[in-house]
Amino acid sequence: MLKYLSKRIGRSILTLFVIVTLVFCLLRLMPVEGYFANYEKMTAADVDRIARLYMDYYNQHEDGCWTHEKACRRIRQIVTVEDSLCLIQQDAAENTTGFAIGYLKPYDDLTSYWLEEIVILAGYQNKGFGRQFLREIEQHARAHGAKLIELASVNDEPHMHFYTTSGMYPVPSRFMRKII
């Protein structure tokens, strides 16, 4: 009888372990979309805080060499431009998960939204935050009359995958450049 009980308890513990492991794995794979939805319009008052996040992200994860002064200048330049549409994304606990800087560009026949940069902080990447943020940006741009979203992206597989699976498509570049 004791042998039978110890065998049953052992199987129960093993079954419980397998179930807990499966639930944990499924929760890690499940996109977090819908579990956060806090967005605020970025203003000049946010420049210093966002510049610090910008500088930290690019210097630690993208081999950048940003100074706080340069990051502030870059962010301020876009936040204060006419028709600026810059957003900050936060999780449910109001932790900043990312930010986007861009502006509306009027043409003769339509208005587009130029997404200068979207940054999802390293700890929040590959969890659905980026895709959710792009959808939010699209809604804001559309609400302001934009019919098109434009951006220039790094031409590598992770970036191309992210943007193309979010409904964007590459177009032949007409950018011109001269190093001076």
Side-chain angles (χ1 to χ4, degrees), residues 2 11 13 60 85 90 92 101 131 136-137 169 178:
L2 189 56
R11 284 185 188 158
I13 291 172
Q60 292 176 17
L85 184 52
Q90 299 174 326
I101 54 176
R131 252 179 255 302
E136 187 72 19
I137 291 165
Y169 54 90
K178 180 180 182 180

Side-chain angles (χ1 to χ4, degrees), residues 1-2 13 17 25 42-43 46 61 72 75 80 91 97-98 103 111 113 119 129 136 143 145 148-149 161 180:
M1 178 75 162
L2 189 56
I13 291 172
F17 176 76
C25 289
M42 190 184 305
T43 67
D46 298 309
H61 302 284
C72 278
I75 304 293
T80 59
D91 65 11
T97 59
Y103 50 90
T111 297
Y113 174 73
V119 175
F129 285 90
E136 187 72 19
L148 176 71
I149 294 178
H161 176 77
I180 56 172

Side-chain angles (χ1 to χ4, degrees), residues 45-177:
D46 298 309
V47 168
D48 184 66
R49 179 174 66 91
I50 297 302
R52 289 183 194 287
L53 294 171
Y54 184 93
M55 183 181 70
D56 290 347
Y57 176 79
Y58 278 106
N59 291 351
Q60 292 176 17
H61 302 284
E62 302 284 341
D63 296 325
C65 56
W66 286 91
T67 64
H68 184 254
E69 180 184 339
K70 285 184 180 180
C72 278
R73 184 175 176 203
R74 173 144 175 79
I75 304 293
R76 188 178 303 106
Q77 181 182 42
I78 296 165
V79 168
T80 59
V81 73
E82 186 176 354
D83 292 327
S84 167
L85 184 52
C86 303
L87 298 171
I88 300 169
Q89 181 187 55
Q90 299 174 326
D91 65 11
E94 297 186 3
N95 299 307
T96 299
T97 59
F99 51 90
I101 54 176
Y103 50 90
L104 298 162
K105 290 173 56 175
Y107 293 99
D108 61 337
D109 57 344
L110 64 87
T111 297
S112 79
Y113 174 73
W114 181 262
L115 179 57
E116 190 72 33
E117 294 199 41
I118 179 172
V119 175
I120 302 300
L121 301 179
Y124 299 96
Q125 292 182 1
N126 298 310
K127 297 180 180 176
F129 285 90
R131 252 179 255 302
Q132 179 68 22
F133 205 0
L134 275 179
R135 284 194 289 269
E136 187 72 19
I137 291 165
E138 186 176 325
Q139 288 175 0
H140 278 266
R142 189 180 295 118
H144 286 85
K147 304 288 184 211
L148 176 71
I149 294 178
E150 301 176 283
L151 61 91
S153 173
V154 176
N155 190 16
D156 65 9
E157 199 283 322
H159 286 91
M160 294 304 288
H161 176 77
F162 173 71
Y163 289 118
T164 57
T165 58
S166 296
M168 297 188 174
Y169 54 90
V171 294
S173 174
R174 294 193 181 147
F175 290 107
M176 304 294 280
R177 180 179 291 171

